Amino acid sequence: MNLQNYYDTVMELTHGIVVTLDLDGGIIHGNSELEHLSGYHLQELAGRDWFEVFIPRDERDMARRALLEGVHGQGVTAFAGRIRAKDGDTVYVNWNLKPLTDSNGEVVSLLCVGQDVTDLVLREKGLLRERFTLLERNKELSCLYSLSQLMGEIHRTMDDLLTQVVELLPAAFQNPEMTYARLRIGHKIYETPGFEESDYMLKSDLVINGEKRGSLAVAVRNDAARPGFLEDEKDLFTTVVQQVVILVSKRETRLAKQELERQLRQSDRLAKIGQFSAGVAHEINEPLANILGFAELALQTPDLPEQVATDLNNIVESSLHAREIIRKLMFFGRQLPPQPAFIDFNDTVEQALRITESGARRGDIEIVRDFDRSLPKILADPQHMKQVVVNLVVNAIQAMTGGGTVTIRTIGLDSDAYLVVEDTGPGMTPDVLKMIFTPFFTTKDVDKGSGLGLSVIHGIVKAHGGFIQVESSPDGGTRVEVAFPCHLRDPEDEQ
């Protein structure tokens, strides 16, 4: 039998690559399948180094080690690898290596039999890519689904919703543990812990009702395994930006609608109470004036018994108190229209404080004045302004049963006139603070307060085009700030 012919026949009939290498990796022989897959002729390959021809540079050392292990092994060694064809294509091969020995048992060469698995590997890679794409798409869809659920949770606060949006975002990207999100709306910032800008960022402005209100950013750390962004992730980011804009816009519209409805209900309630109060005031005013007048006349009777005089004085005092309540009702019901004139605001405040000084002294309360002397004259009803100051200071005095300090400031800011009244009293709880402008609401005893003082002040301030706000907390005192708009200044001050 011709052994060379036998060897060549076996080489050609083998379904796969067959190649014989020397112990240094030189190519001794190969079959036609090697020529077909590699694009080289056997004459080109004979004697050349297998690793230099077929193995990418960065994999050569690893492949040589595998060859040496195969040489020193006793049986068949199997491993997977790849070779680079003449045209640059990559061919994936599953190899079986068997050392060949001479008559003395010395290894003289290495027989390598390989199976082309390129199609299988490419299909597996394709499936892996599809699987990766599906997983990423599933994360994106989960994020959008969670976001759509947030849109319907109208009972939650805006802060809660925006915090949840930021927390949802990283999980929708390739590297959740290295992805961070930051959302800015106005002066508020919501961000995931550890957020910092990087070379890989998606960022967009949030334009709500035609106005730039903030921004949304997603950043991936530079050392992430996949620091870039997929096209689907960019589309997701764009969608999230749109959803955040819709979320904020709808929530603000809803809150504005609720506030408007509340104001309308309040205005309607106040209007009805005002009409009722004015009617009651008119009905009571005349008989009360008669009671007061006759009581004062009776006091002028000579030689009145002491008890009768005391009783008449009580009648007069009670009538005066009732008349003051009626006066407040008339204010509240707009039955005493303002009579505006250009007034020195500081002087008007000072006149009102003189009325309250005796009560302050009795209560061991110090009144501190801090007037801005640069204030211009403003257009206002002087009696109404006095009513505002007196009511605020009296409220402060009555709140400080153990003494204290009331500070009255006038401030000129941006051409507006401000009146600030601060006390060191016990303050108010949030529940009481919400009710202070409600007509007839009072925390005082029945004989000490009608619950109309702040309601009257509120009406006077609104009638003058101003605003009033109150800050108070338990054991923290109370601060009342009243402002009158700048357009009410005296024309003489503009010259």
Side-chain angles (χ1 to χ4, degrees):
M1 178 184 291
N2 187 326
L3 292 178
Q4 182 63 43
N5 184 48
Y6 176 79
Y7 177 75
D8 291 340
T9 300
V10 171
M11 294 277 281
E12 292 305 319
L13 291 178
T14 301
H15 297 290
I17 303 171
V18 180
V19 62
T20 305
L21 305 177
D22 62 27
L23 299 183
D24 294 322
I27 301 172
I28 299 174
H29 191 56
N31 65 351
S32 59
E33 185 67 15
L34 175 62
E35 289 183 315
H36 172 70
L37 291 176
S38 69
Y40 291 99
H41 292 293
L42 290 178
Q43 292 82 355
E44 296 179 80
L45 297 174
R48 295 182 65 182
D49 186 282
W50 171 268
F51 302 98
E52 295 291 337
V53 175
F54 291 111
I55 306 302
R57 185 182 300 275
D58 59 343
E59 299 178 12
R60 288 174 188 170
D61 291 342
M62 182 180 65
R64 286 185 187 276
R65 286 196 299 270
L67 175 68
L68 291 175
E69 291 174 1
V71 168
H72 295 295
Q74 297 299 317
V76 177
T77 303
F79 74 93
R82 59 179 180 168
I83 62 175
R84 182 180 57 210
K86 189 174 184 178
D87 60 5
D89 286 348
T90 298
V91 179
Y92 294 90
V93 182
N94 285 342
W95 292 104
N96 288 297
L97 309 181
K98 173 67 177 177
L100 301 177
T101 61
D102 58 13
S103 58
N104 296 321
E106 296 290 333
V107 176
V108 294
S109 62
L110 188 64
L111 179 63
C112 308
V113 179
Q115 186 68 35
D116 178 16
V117 292
T118 302
D119 290 342
L120 177 61
V121 170
L122 292 179
R123 283 198 298 271
E124 287 178 349
K125 287 189 173 183
L127 289 173
L128 287 174
R129 282 195 297 271
E130 290 181 8
R131 179 177 179 273
F132 173 77
T133 301
L134 289 173
L135 288 174
E136 293 301 313
R137 188 59 178 161
N138 182 60
K139 292 194 295 185
E140 295 161 11
L141 291 174
S142 296
C143 176
L144 291 175
Y145 175 72
S146 299
L147 194 60
S148 66
Q149 287 185 311
L150 288 179
M151 299 284 285
E153 296 185 7
I154 59 176
H155 61 283
R156 296 178 61 179
T157 65
M158 182 73 78
D159 284 343
D160 285 345
L161 292 175
L162 296 182
T163 299
Q164 188 68 33
V165 169
V166 169
E167 292 175 351
L168 283 172
L169 276 177
F173 289 82
Q174 299 177 74
N175 305 279
E177 70 285 351
M178 293 187 175
T179 303
Y180 308 94
R182 179 175 65 191
L183 172 62
R184 181 178 61 81
I185 292 289
H187 64 279
K188 291 189 176 181
I189 295 178
Y190 311 86
E191 62 182 25
T192 52
F195 178 91
E196 60 181 37
E197 295 189 357
S198 71
D199 296 334
Y200 304 95
M201 289 187 64
L202 296 174
K203 189 172 183 180
S204 177
D205 292 333
L206 298 176
V207 181
I208 301 171
N209 297 325
E211 178 186 358
K212 179 181 174 182
R213 297 279 301 282
S215 63
L216 178 65
V218 173
V220 178
R221 272 172 40 185
N222 295 330
D223 58 342
R226 299 185 183 92
F229 294 97
L230 302 173
E231 288 301 319
D232 283 348
E233 290 176 335
K234 295 178 182 178
D235 293 340
L236 168 68
F237 179 78
T238 301
T239 302
V240 172
V241 170
Q242 295 170 350
Q243 292 298 311
V244 170
V245 168
I246 293 172
L247 174 63
V248 175
S249 178
K250 289 179 66 175
R251 177 55 63 94
E252 289 184 347
T253 300
R254 177 172 170 270
L255 292 176
K257 180 182 177 182
Q258 290 177 339
E259 177 61 18
L260 180 59
E261 290 174 347
R262 188 195 66 79
Q263 291 178 359
L264 289 173
R265 288 194 299 269
Q266 179 73 358
S267 297
D268 182 63
R269 182 164 58 249
L270 291 177
K272 291 178 179 178
I273 294 176
Q275 292 173 355
F276 171 76
S277 301
V280 171
H282 279 300
E283 292 296 326
I284 296 177
N285 205 30
E286 185 175 348
L288 183 63
N290 291 333
I291 293 172
L292 179 61
F294 285 117
E296 289 176 337
L297 285 174
L299 277 172
Q300 297 175 13
T301 303
D303 302 325
L304 279 176
E306 182 179 351
Q307 184 60 48
V308 174
T310 300
D311 292 341
L312 288 173
N313 279 320
N314 288 337
I315 292 172
V316 169
E317 185 177 339
S318 297
S319 299
L320 290 173
H321 179 67
R323 189 174 67 177
E324 183 60 26
I325 293 176
I326 291 174
R327 180 175 174 80
K328 290 179 180 180
L329 285 171
M330 300 289 280
F331 268 120
F332 181 71
R334 304 292 195 275
Q335 298 300 308
L336 295 177
Q339 298 177 353
F342 285 102
I343 62 172
D344 184 321
F345 193 49
N346 288 331
D347 185 56
T348 302
V349 173
E350 179 61 40
Q351 292 177 28
L353 291 178
R354 291 174 191 153
I355 302 173
T356 64
E357 283 181 334
S358 60
R361 283 194 296 270
R362 286 195 301 271
D364 192 24
I365 293 169
E366 179 185 7
I367 294 181
V368 177
R369 297 164 171 81
D370 182 8
F371 294 165
D372 183 349
R373 298 302 175 183
S374 65
L375 278 179
K377 292 182 178 180
I378 65 170
L379 183 63
D381 185 316
Q383 297 305 318
H384 286 190
M385 293 299 99
K386 290 178 185 178
Q387 181 80 18
V388 169
V389 176
V390 169
N391 277 4
L392 291 178
V393 174
V394 167
N395 282 349
I397 291 172
Q398 291 178 348
M400 295 184 289
T401 56
T405 302
V406 181
T407 303
I408 296 91
R409 294 187 179 90
T410 59
I411 304 171
L413 182 62
D414 296 332
S415 300
D416 291 347
Y418 286 80
L419 170 68
V420 179
V421 178
E422 293 180 280
D423 66 56
T424 58
M428 292 178 279
T429 64
D431 291 340
V432 172
L433 190 60
K434 288 191 301 185
M435 300 291 293
I436 57 174
F437 294 118
T438 302
F440 306 109
F441 172 80
T442 181
T443 58
K444 302 172 186 175
D445 294 336
V446 176
D447 59 340
K448 293 186 178 180
S450 62
L452 285 171
L454 285 174
S455 298
V456 169
I457 292 174
H458 188 267
I460 290 173
V461 172
K462 288 190 66 176
H464 284 78
F467 72 84
I468 180 172
Q469 62 182 25
V470 182
E471 298 175 3
S472 185
S473 60
D475 301 321
T478 300
R479 171 188 169 94
V480 182
E481 184 176 307
V482 184
F484 298 98
C486 59
H487 69 271
L488 298 181
R489 296 173 64 176
D490 189 344
E492 296 179 0
D493 293 325
E494 304 292 337
Q495 298 177 357

